[in-house]
Amino acid sequence: MPLTFKTIALLTVATAILVACSDTELNQSTTDKTPPVAKTDATATEVATVPRTETRQLLWGDTHLHTTNSADAFAFGARLTPEDALRFARGQQVISTTGIPAVLDRPLDFLMIADHGEGLGISRQIMEGNPALMTDPTVARWSGMMQEGGDASAQAAMELISRFAAGKMPEVLRDRAVVGPIFRSVWEAHNKTVDSYNEPGAFTAFIGYEYTALDIGDNLHRVVMFRDGADKANQVLPFPATVSINPEDLWNALSAYETKTGGQILAIPHNSNLSNGQMFAFSDIEGNPIDADYAAKSARWEPVVEVTQIKGDSESHPFLSPNDEFASYGDAGWELGNLDMSGRKTPDMFAGEYVREALKRGLELENKTGINPFKYGLIGSTNSHTALATGDESNFFGKHSDGEPSAERASKGDGLSEVSRMGWHYLAGGYAAVWAKSNTREDIFDAIMAKEVYATTGPRIALRMFGSWEFSDTDAQASNFVDIGYEKGVPMGGDLSNPQDKNKAPTFLINALKDPIGANLDRVQVIKGWRDKDGALQEKIYDVAWSDDRTFDASGKLPAVGNSVDLSSPSFENSIGDAELRTVWTDPDFDPDVPAFYYTRAIEIPTPRWNAYDAVRYGAKMPEGAVMVTQERAYSSPIWYHPK
């Protein structure tokens, strides 16, 4: 019996509500009125602009991975555990749920398993026959069906959903005294496993979970990251969206955690592209205009946003950026509606969904409230529900276990509406890149707070961006350009204020280095956003470095880099593009009186998409319109300019 996304969503909610009944500690957190230890925006700025000269290393990871402990992943068949996920991320071979040997060509440096906090591990507990649950004959029967797998397991899931919808869940699953301890035991066992794989200096394993808020299908999800180990994280339980879908209540819970434990924690919004305009709205979830208090909490608890992942890319959309020829990356399919397609999307919603527009809206809200609530750094992660953090086109294991490599997966529809999302709409990506002092929980977490991080759609492009008033062209040629970047300026995530010489414009030292085993680079762009003197929000894309000695045409456009992809293999050749692009760029349109942000987008030459590999490996027939070639990319965190 095939499961649709809607039924799986219902399963998630069903188990979530059951377990939420036992979340007394979190309910206390929700109602805790202790003022958050919120740093003001000014404090955040101070953190970001502290001169940093220490050596930093580039670390690669995934902060958004699901395992069998997520109810939806389990229902789609995932059976790999958190330990499997950690072994895989560290470079060991595992056998996927569908029996395929899986291994990364390069291990990751860090991983955060972010299973849904709602219903954490309950489905697996049923399957494994937890004695406390087997006292009920129906649950015991479901356990047997889940162990049988295949259609029987799917049937058990459907029965569970139907019983929930009819308000006839087995008594044992509604008993706080039974379910509460199970939920806690799963959480603590998970944290113990994560701690055991955390090896400072070699591999970092973060404790975390996903807060799965939905407003009638509009995605308001966040992942939550702990800087701490199990000794502190075990003092609370994940804050579930079944208690509240208001992000302010989540932030209050995060504040209560820090107050209670002395630890540190943060949240990362994701899939804004499926929020139907809610994620970056000018109002809160109750429709009230965002005020200074809301803005301060948002800036405090959510320093970065996940801009790219399997379920689409949220950087830009052609409707919002008609002059950006690269704006449509990862939009196909995901621009149709919200998460479960219960609400179709209209163009007026896009501005509340895409990160570039959020950065612009942040300038507007800062003008109104004094604080920028959307002053985000950018990261990517997978959101894989297979326990396999695969971000490479040639090694993509899908969103769910039913999307693991096969001849059919690219042409599958999701069945959510008459206009369906198709399997090929999923992206093989992304990853989070962090410039950290060392590979430890503390240093990676602190780098995320300081926004010295960036996103890639999968390739491991090494990207640097510094802002200053003093960079010269010779700085770009220096072998110690990184030292110069820190000495004269601020790194990505930092802030610039007025120059001493009012006639100066900001300069940016940028370096992009290709993935060592990947494709050459087409170009490097700077995306600038600003709020002009009339209050209008503006943007402009500048090509600042490019490959192959191309020249701009008469219309001022840089010609395309070409295409070396051979779909019969599939393969590509680095006969076009450059391995490294470095430059110092000065803003030619700078106005010292208007606030602005700048971030870098480094774009690869064309390469085959994951479905092109399926077409060759499995003889998969692609549906009409399926995109087979892509240009992957990296997005730096912005540098902001604030006139004073």
Side-chain angles (χ1 to χ4, degrees):
M1 176 182 293
L3 294 178
T4 67
F5 189 92
K6 281 188 174 180
T7 56
I8 299 307
L10 285 171
L11 175 62
T12 302
V13 172
T15 51
I17 289 176
L18 285 168
V19 177
C21 294
S22 67
D23 295 343
T24 53
E25 292 165 80
L26 286 175
N27 289 334
Q28 290 169 359
S29 296
T30 306
T31 55
D32 190 330
K33 300 303 182 185
T34 303
V37 289
K39 298 175 182 176
T40 65
D41 203 44
T43 304
T45 298
E46 290 168 5
V47 171
T49 56
V50 170
R52 285 167 285 184
T53 56
E54 304 96 331
T55 300
R56 279 169 166 68
Q57 55 185 291
L58 178 57
L59 301 174
W60 292 97
D62 183 0
T63 62
H64 188 177
L65 181 72
H66 296 264
T67 73
T68 188
N69 280 341
S70 287
D72 55 348
F74 183 90
F76 274 109
R79 295 296 182 265
L80 298 192
T81 65
E83 184 160 8
D84 295 322
L86 289 158
R87 290 175 51 232
F88 180 78
R90 296 195 61 158
Q92 298 178 38
Q93 178 176 297
V94 302
I95 303 300
S96 78
T97 291
T98 59
I100 303 172
V103 65
L104 289 170
D105 57 16
R106 290 163 288 179
L108 296 177
D109 300 303
F110 63 92
L111 177 70
M112 184 173 82
I113 297 168
D115 281 312
H116 296 290
E118 301 81 8
L120 182 68
I122 284 295
S123 298
R124 187 174 184 89
Q125 291 294 305
I126 294 174
M127 184 195 77
E128 292 181 344
N130 186 307
L133 302 177
M134 297 303 106
T135 56
D136 184 283
T138 299
V139 178
R141 181 170 59 83
W142 288 343
S143 178
M145 296 168 71
M146 288 178 177
Q147 290 176 27
E148 184 177 338
D151 289 346
S153 181
Q155 179 63 35
M158 289 299 296
E159 287 188 25
L160 193 154
I161 293 165
S162 299
R163 292 286 292 267
F164 167 73
K168 297 180 179 178
M169 291 297 286
E171 179 64 27
V172 70
L173 293 181
R174 291 185 279 128
D175 189 341
R176 290 183 177 186
V178 173
V179 180
I182 293 174
F183 188 38
R184 172 160 287 286
S185 71
V186 172
W187 174 241
E188 293 184 357
H190 170 81
N191 294 344
K192 181 179 180 181
T193 298
V194 172
D195 271 3
S196 71
Y197 276 81
N198 185 53
E199 186 178 350
F203 180 82
T204 295
F206 283 102
I207 293 173
Y209 67 91
E210 178 166 344
Y211 164 76
T212 320
L214 280 176
D215 188 6
I216 318 177
D218 295 347
N219 185 92
L220 296 172
H221 295 187
R222 274 88 170 161
V223 294
V224 174
M225 170 181 280
F226 293 76
R227 190 175 186 264
D228 315 303
D231 59 326
K232 289 186 171 65
N234 284 349
Q235 297 180 43
V236 298
L237 295 174
F239 180 76
T242 46
V243 172
S244 172
I245 62 170
N246 187 338
E248 289 188 270
D249 289 327
L250 171 67
W251 301 335
N252 288 338
L254 303 186
S255 175
Y257 166 79
E258 292 198 349
T259 300
K260 180 176 182 177
T261 68
Q264 293 186 49
I265 195 168
L266 60 83
I268 305 172
H270 64 265
N271 281 121
S272 55
N273 59 336
L274 302 176
S275 71
N276 274 10
Q278 285 213 55
M279 188 69 84
F280 308 127
F282 283 119
S283 57
D284 64 20
I285 197 168
E286 296 176 348
N288 303 308
I290 288 179
D291 59 16
D293 179 65
Y294 183 103
K297 290 179 178 177
S298 176
R300 166 65 181 87
W301 296 109
E302 299 185 345
V304 299
V305 63
E306 185 182 294
V307 69
T308 190
Q309 59 142 278
I310 286 177
K311 289 193 297 187
D313 189 280
S314 300
E315 188 240 349
S316 57
H317 190 281
F319 178 83
L320 302 169
S321 305
N323 295 323
D324 181 358
E325 63 182 303
F326 297 100
S328 64
Y329 179 87
D331 294 343
W334 310 105
E335 60 193 346
L336 299 174
N338 59 8
L339 179 62
D340 61 2
M341 291 291 285
S342 59
R344 294 298 299 275
K345 202 163 297 186
T346 54
D348 60 297
M349 298 175 180
F350 288 136
E353 300 206 303
Y354 286 87
V355 171
R356 186 186 302 171
E357 198 68 18
L359 296 172
K360 291 157 62 179
R361 285 186 167 196
L363 300 178
E364 174 64 20
L365 287 165
E366 185 174 22
N367 180 67
K368 291 180 177 178
T369 69
I371 299 174
N372 183 344
F374 303 144
K375 195 178 176 184
Y376 294 122
L378 309 184
I379 66 167
S381 280
T382 66
N383 195 13
S384 164
H385 281 54
T386 64
L388 304 172
T390 55
D392 297 327
E393 303 288 342
S394 61
N395 191 30
F396 180 50
F397 271 73
K399 169 70 188 306
H400 286 287
S401 293
D402 69 341
E404 292 188 1
S406 72
E408 298 81 24
R409 62 174 176 166
S411 56
K412 285 183 178 178
D414 60 13
L416 295 176
S417 68
E418 294 180 359
V419 182
S420 178
R421 292 186 180 116
M422 304 296 291
W424 71 266
H425 289 146
Y426 289 102
L427 307 184
Y431 282 140
V434 177
W435 289 107
K437 289 191 289 186
S438 71
N439 190 351
T440 64
R441 283 173 173 164
E442 295 79 9
D443 283 339
I444 295 173
F445 186 97
D446 292 351
I448 293 174
M449 287 297 294
K451 306 167 188 172
E452 199 168 353
V453 297
Y454 63 96
T456 84
T457 58
R460 302 191 190 188
I461 301 167
L463 182 61
R464 288 280 198 180
M465 181 184 190
F466 297 93
S468 171
W469 305 103
E470 305 295 338
F471 291 137
S472 65
D473 290 342
T474 57
D475 292 334
Q477 309 306 318
S479 59
N480 64 335
F481 75 93
V482 173
D483 293 333
I484 294 172
Y486 283 115
E487 290 169 5
K488 290 186 177 181
V490 297
M492 61 177 75
D495 297 85
L496 293 171
S497 57
N498 291 63
Q500 292 182 350
D501 182 348
K502 293 185 177 179
N503 294 317
K504 285 192 172 181
T507 57
F508 298 90
L509 175 55
I510 300 167
N511 184 72
L513 189 64
K514 70 180 280 289
D515 184 325
I517 62 171
N520 276 347
L521 301 171
D522 167 358
R523 68 187 72 191
V524 169
Q525 300 175 309
V526 169
I527 288 85
K528 176 185 177 183
W530 70 98
R531 181 181 181 276
D532 69 21
K533 293 177 179 176
D534 296 324
L537 300 176
Q538 308 283 1
E539 69 173 51
K540 189 171 182 179
I541 295 92
Y542 302 86
D543 290 311
V544 301
W546 53 91
S547 64
D548 299 332
D549 297 322
R550 286 169 285 168
T551 57
F552 289 85
D553 63 21
S555 66
K557 181 179 178 181
L558 185 67
V561 69
N563 186 351
S564 63
V565 171
D566 178 0
L567 288 176
S568 68
S569 311
S571 62
F572 65 93
E573 293 183 357
N574 279 331
S575 55
I576 57 174
D578 282 353
E580 183 175 17
L581 296 172
R582 188 187 304 174
T583 192
V584 167
W585 177 76
T586 302
D587 181 0
D589 304 309
F590 179 63
D591 183 337
D593 296 325
V594 301
F597 62 82
Y598 304 82
Y599 67 91
T600 297
R601 184 169 64 183
I603 301 177
E604 284 188 341
I605 64 171
T607 54
R609 281 186 98 240
W610 64 267
N611 47 311
Y613 289 93
D614 278 9
V616 173
R617 290 170 178 164
Y618 306 108
K621 185 177 180 181
M622 292 298 130
E624 184 178 356
V627 175
M628 306 288 278
V629 177
T630 189
Q631 280 190 268
E632 300 212 65
R633 55 203 64 197
Y635 308 116
S636 79
S637 289
I639 292 173
W640 287 265
Y641 166 71
H642 306 271
K644 294 182 179 177

